[in-house]
Amino acid sequence: MAQPYSVLWVEDPETGYRARLHYTRDHPLRSWMTGVAFAAPPPTPIALGLRGTDEEGWVLGDLWLTPITVMSRRLHTALVEAGVDNLAVYPATLRDPLTETVHTDFVAFNLIGKRPRADPGGALLFRLAEAVNVIWIHDSVRRAVEGAGIDTLTFIDPEDFAG
């Protein structure tokens, strides 16, 4: 029987490039990648700069995994409606330095929880305990995201993921 999970990943679109983010840490020990809840919330909104907007065909995505985890509000809504309940979210602004445009329909997020590959325990969205930079998504949530019309994400079979 196939594993009911995929690795959630992000790649540049077939044409153009996804804008990159610039993030200045608010605290030297804050990590958005460990799956551990923050002792104190970060100051909000979290201000992020966009990089790459001077390139031909750049686009905003629905998800960034580095240097900080950020998602669109529409992706957050789809995840919550699918039953994901382990996200701590914080308002974020993405500022384009070339046009001075500020995008406010994004949230920075801390995905709380790590699970071992051998026993995900039915979790819907989690960091892999063996490699916290890897996020697993349950197929029911993947289908809900796709059903919401979000097509900017990549879902990889865990057996095929080498990241």
Side-chain angles (χ1 to χ4, degrees):
M1 184 169 155
Q3 177 72 259
Y5 291 93
S6 299
V7 173
L8 178 58
W9 202 247
V10 187
E11 296 176 349
D12 282 330
E14 290 184 25
T15 304
Y17 301 94
R18 191 171 43 89
R20 305 308 191 238
L21 299 180
H22 174 74
Y23 168 65
T24 302
R25 288 177 174 258
D26 67 289
H27 189 281
L29 299 179
R30 185 180 311 282
S31 174
W32 295 82
M33 308 296 263
T34 61
V36 177
F38 299 146
T44 59
I46 297 169
L48 301 154
L50 291 170
R51 297 185 331 203
T53 58
D54 57 342
E55 297 175 11
E56 182 80 23
W58 75 275
V59 297
L60 290 177
D62 283 288
L63 179 67
W64 286 266
L65 300 175
T66 62
I68 179 176
T69 47
V70 174
M71 72 174 83
S72 65
R73 289 188 186 273
R74 75 180 187 142
L75 176 56
H76 179 247
T77 297
L79 294 173
V80 170
E81 288 177 354
V84 173
D85 62 1
N86 58 332
L87 295 168
V89 297
Y90 308 92
T93 59
L94 281 59
R95 182 182 160 277
D96 184 332
L98 298 178
T99 65
E100 299 296 324
T101 303
V102 177
H103 303 273
T104 59
D105 51 345
F106 293 88
V107 294
F109 69 95
N110 186 11
L111 176 57
I112 314 282
K114 299 177 278 191
R115 305 290 303 193
R117 179 184 182 111
D119 183 21
L124 296 177
L125 188 70
F126 61 95
R127 291 189 175 281
L128 194 60
E130 297 88 341
V132 293
N133 64 318
V134 178
I135 297 174
W136 275 24
I137 184 169
H138 193 273
D139 284 346
S140 63
V141 179
R142 178 188 52 80
R143 287 190 302 274
V145 167
E146 292 171 336
I150 298 170
D151 62 359
T152 59
L153 308 177
T154 302
F155 303 99
I156 303 171
D157 185 303
E159 303 305 319
D160 297 334
F161 183 73

